[in-house]
Every structure is written in structure tokens, then in C-alpha cells.
């Protein structure tokens, strides 16, 4: 019986999508005098609420021009919008704002697609100790996080001071490739104060909020810290998963007026690092073995936030002043 009801439900859903929905769209267009793209632009404010609907409309259209619009090269966006206006028989002189709105949406859509490719390329590029640029970035990360402590050597136990697992950080970048290093360095460079604070707190997350005397007086359990760099690479993986799954579209479509860039992704990483640190402290885990549980819970919370079309992750760091503009 359950199987029959499931099949019957699927049949009605199919019928609705294939027949009733298209008929409804036709009737609405005749009544309003506007196509679906026009109705979306006129009835939704700029940002994710509008762009997500435009993206869905184009992606699931039966017309090849509209389907291919979501994957055009950025240089062809303007021409594509002109072709869409012609296809839909919309006069740009009487509807000047429509072309501007569609163009902004399409730039965000193709920009997000290109950002995924750029991030994936960095993730797939392994750290190479023979590459001077890679080595320079790593040395710069040390100087940013330990400005008053010279590194005694390229292979050194000192790397553990900023949260790497062993004497040579290159082995820790295997999972996320250069993407992990890029994100850590961006955090340390563009929001140095916050990065240093998170690093300090990761060593003693509770103790840092009070004096040593107060700490000893209250007889707290030993503070449960974590490895800053390792967690940074792990949060890079979380940010990457959000990006590739499309969950990050809500945030990026709301904060990037045009094309989302690598800078937007890195700023989002900075925010996630700070928020995870707060979350870790609030969860008060018994030991580091609870990391995966806390991370999974944090991931679910972020996903829940991103389901709201007006959501922005609202970064609380200096780098947010560079490009993040709330539409």
C-alpha cells in the first residue's frame, strides 16, 4: 500500500511539473503580461532571494539558450542578456532596469561557478617544498603568527607552536593542498589581531579569559585546546564543502554585488574560524577526541543559517571592509 501511494504521489508530482506548472506559467504570463524572469526580478529584492530563483528558472528551462546562460564566460554575459531579452520579446527601452537586474544575477551565477573551479584548483595543487613561492608563503605564515620568535630551521618542532602536527608542515597540507595554506595566510595577514587571539585562545581557551590567579582559584579542569593550523585546514575543508554543495550561494549572493571571488571565500573562512572557536569553547568538550562531533554540530548550525535566503554570515573581522557589501 505504501509503495502504491509513493508511486501515485510521484505521478502527480510529475504531472504537475510537466503539465500543470507550465500551463500555470502560461496563464500567469498572459494575465500579467510578464515572463517568469520579469516577475522574479520585479517581485524579489537583489541578492540571494532573486538570484537563486533566476538561476533555477534558467537551469530548468526547456530553451537551450536559457539553460546555457548559467555557464557562459563572464565576457559574454552582456551579450547573453541581450539574447534573452530578444528571445522573451522584451523591449530594453521600456524595461531598462530588467536588463541591469538580469545581468547582475548572471554575473553572480557565473562568478560562483568560476569560484568553485578556482578553489578546486588550489585544493588539488599539492604543497611543494621545492617551489620558492610555496616556501615563501609558509615562512610568511610563521612570521605573521610568531613575529617575535625566529624560526630555527625549515624542519623544526617550532611548527607545533602554531598548530602543525610535526616538524614539517607540508605533510599537513595533503588533504586541502595549497588552499589550506592560502586561507591560513589570509587570516594571519588581513586580520592579524583576530588570528593571533584565536591562536592564543586555542592553546588555553578558558584560561585566556581570566588571570592565572582566578583560574587556579576556580579550580577549573585543564583547558581543552586544539591545534590552530590543523583546525584551520579542517575548517577550510568545511568551507570548501559548503561552497561545492551550493550551500554558500545564499551568503555569497547576498554579499557579492557582482562576481563572488576568492577573497570572498577567504573572508568567509576567517569568519568560520572565529565562530568555530567560540562554538568549541561553548561546547566545552572533554577532550580533543570530541573534535569530529563538535565540528559536525557546527556544520549543521551553519547549514541551517544558510537555508534562509536573506542570510549573510556577517563577518566580524577587519577584512570584511574590503569587498563584503550587503545588498
Amino acid at each position: 500500500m505504501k509503495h502504491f501511494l509513493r508511486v501515485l504521489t510521484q505521478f502527480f508530482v510529475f504531472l504537475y511539473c510537466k503539465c500543470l506548472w507550465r500551463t500555470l506559467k502560461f496563464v500567469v504570463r498572459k494575465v500579467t503580461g510578464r515572463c517568469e524572469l520579469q516577475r522574479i526580478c520585479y517581485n524579489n529584492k537583489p541578492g540571494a532571494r532573486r538570484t537563486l530563483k533566476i538561476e533555477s528558472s534558467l537551469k530548468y528551462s526547456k530553451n537551450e539558450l536559457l539553460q546555457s546562460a548559467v555557464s557562459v564566460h563572464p565576457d559574454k554575459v552582456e551579450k547573453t542578456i541581450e539574447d534573452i531579452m530578444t528571445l522573451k520579446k522584451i523591449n530594453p527601452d521600456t524595461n531598462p532596469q530588467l536588463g541591469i537586474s538580469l545581468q547582475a544575477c548572471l554575473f553572480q551565477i557565473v562568478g560562483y561557478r568560476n569560484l568553485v573551479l578556482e578553489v578546486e584548483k588550489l585544493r588539488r595543487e599539492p604543497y611543494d617544498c621545492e617551489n620558492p613561492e610555496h616556501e615563501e608563503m609558509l615562512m610568511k605564515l610563521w612570521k605573521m603568527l610568531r613575529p617575535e620568535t625566529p624560526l630555527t630551521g625549515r624542519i623544526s618542532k617550532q611548527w607545533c607552536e602554531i598548530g602543525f602536527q610535526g616538524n614539517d608542515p607540508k605533510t599537513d597540507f595533503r588533504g586541502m593542498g595549497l588552499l589550506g595554506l592560502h586561507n591560513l595566510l589570509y587570516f594571519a595577514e588581513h586580520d592579524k589581531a583576530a588570528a593571533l587571539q584565536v591562536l592564543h585562545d586555542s592553546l588555553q581557551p578558558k584560561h585566556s579569559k581570566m588571570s592565572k590567579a582566578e583560574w587556579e582559584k576556580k579550580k577549573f579542569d585543564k583547558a581543552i585546546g586544539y591545534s590552530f593550523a590543523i583546525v584551520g585546514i579542517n575548517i577550510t575543508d568545511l568551507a570548501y564543502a559548503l561552497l561545492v554543495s551550493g550551500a554558500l550561494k545564499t551568503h555569497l549572493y547576498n554579499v557579492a554585488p557582482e562576481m563572488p571571488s576568492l577573497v570572498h571565500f577567504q573572508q568567509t573562512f576567517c569568519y568560520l574560524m572565529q565562530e568555530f572557536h567560540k562554538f568549541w569553547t561553548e561546547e566545552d568538550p572533554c577532550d580533543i577526541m570530541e573534535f569530529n562531533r563538535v565540528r559536525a554540530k557546527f556544520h549543521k548550525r551553519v547549514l541551517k543559517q544558510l537555508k534562509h535566503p536573506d542570510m549573510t554570515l556577517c563577518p566580524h573581522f577587519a577584512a570584511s571592509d574590503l569587498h563584503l557589501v550587503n545588498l
Side-chain angles (χ1 to χ4, degrees):
M1 184 64 180
K2 289 183 179 179
H3 177 70
F4 173 75
L5 291 175
R6 190 182 301 113
V7 172
L8 188 63
T9 301
Q10 291 175 346
F11 171 75
F12 279 115
V13 170
F14 174 81
L15 185 66
Y16 174 77
C17 294
K18 288 293 183 181
C19 304
L20 297 179
W21 174 240
R22 296 192 184 282
T23 302
L24 181 61
K25 285 173 62 177
F26 176 79
V27 172
V28 172
R29 172 156 191 172
K30 289 298 181 182
V31 172
T32 63
R34 294 174 176 174
C35 68
E36 185 178 34
L37 296 177
Q38 287 175 296
R39 295 195 300 274
I40 292 173
C41 287
Y42 293 144
N43 297 331
N44 296 275
K45 65 180 183 179
R49 191 174 288 273
R50 176 189 290 174
T51 303
L52 286 171
K53 290 181 179 179
I54 290 293
E55 184 173 16
S56 178
S57 178
L58 294 174
K59 185 177 178 180
Y60 295 107
S61 172
K62 293 178 68 177
N63 186 280
E64 290 185 9
L65 170 63
L66 300 182
Q67 287 180 4
S68 62
V70 297
S71 57
V72 298
H73 190 276
D75 293 340
K76 296 183 178 180
V77 167
E78 191 173 343
K79 177 62 168 61
T80 300
I81 296 301
E82 291 177 0
D83 292 341
I84 291 175
M85 298 280 278
T86 301
L87 176 69
K88 294 293 183 178
K89 299 178 182 179
I90 301 172
N91 189 337
D93 295 327
T94 57
N95 297 273
Q97 188 58 42
L98 178 64
I100 296 173
S101 298
L102 285 175
Q103 184 169 303
C105 290
L106 199 53
F107 268 126
Q108 289 185 318
I109 294 167
V110 300
Y112 191 95
R113 188 186 185 92
N114 289 343
L115 175 59
V116 172
L117 295 176
E118 185 178 6
V119 167
E120 182 63 30
K121 183 178 179 181
L122 284 174
R123 189 187 73 85
R124 288 178 176 273
E125 185 175 356
Y127 183 90
D128 182 5
C129 57
E130 300 296 325
N131 188 317
E133 292 183 5
H134 295 188
E135 289 286 287
E136 184 181 352
M137 289 174 64
L138 185 60
M139 294 300 108
K140 193 172 185 179
L141 179 63
W142 173 266
K143 291 177 183 177
M144 286 290 175
L145 296 176
R146 281 284 184 263
E148 298 179 0
T149 306
L151 190 64
T152 57
R154 170 62 180 78
I155 307 298
S156 169
K157 290 183 178 181
Q158 285 179 287
W159 290 112
C160 295
E161 295 177 22
I162 60 174
F164 286 104
Q165 290 181 324
N167 298 343
D168 191 351
K170 75 173 185 178
T171 58
D172 294 325
F173 291 120
R174 287 173 183 168
M176 285 286 107
L178 276 189
L179 184 62
L181 178 56
H182 271 273
N183 278 353
L184 285 170
L185 183 57
Y186 186 91
F187 189 25
E189 266 192 299
H190 293 271
D191 196 23
K192 188 173 182 179
L196 290 174
Q197 187 63 54
V198 172
L199 172 60
H200 177 264
D201 290 352
S202 70
L203 301 174
Q204 42 185 358
K206 297 173 185 174
H207 188 175
S208 63
K209 295 183 178 180
M210 58 185 71
S211 67
K212 185 175 181 180
E214 290 176 315
W215 175 268
E216 293 176 349
K217 184 179 179 181
K218 289 183 180 291
K219 296 181 180 180
F220 279 120
D221 294 333
K222 184 179 179 181
I224 302 301
Y226 55 79
S227 300
F228 175 85
I230 295 300
V231 169
I233 294 171
N234 203 289
I235 296 302
T236 292
D237 177 64
L238 188 149
Y240 168 78
L242 291 173
L243 179 74
V244 173
S245 69
L248 211 53
K249 285 181 180 180
T250 305
H251 168 68
L252 292 179
Y253 286 169
N254 281 330
V255 300
E258 293 184 349
M259 296 178 64
S261 67
L262 183 61
V263 171
H264 291 101
F265 177 76
Q266 291 172 319
Q267 290 174 340
T268 304
F269 163 78
C270 295
Y271 167 77
L272 291 173
M273 272 292 287
Q274 294 181 72
E275 288 301 302
F276 178 78
H277 175 65
K278 293 177 188 175
F279 191 76
W280 174 265
T281 305
E282 291 168 2
E283 284 291 300
D284 194 18
C286 295
D287 55 52
I288 195 64
M289 298 304 291
E290 288 198 66
F291 179 82
N292 288 337
R293 176 190 66 80
V294 176
R295 181 192 184 278
K297 191 174 179 180
F298 177 71
H299 190 185
K300 287 181 180 178
R301 190 181 77 166
V302 175
L303 283 173
K304 185 177 180 180
Q305 291 175 327
L306 290 171
K307 285 182 179 179
H308 194 285
D310 295 325
M311 179 64 191
T312 57
L313 293 178
C314 301
H316 302 293
F317 52 91
S320 64
D321 296 332
L322 296 177
H323 293 285
L324 293 181
V325 181
N326 193 336
L327 289 175

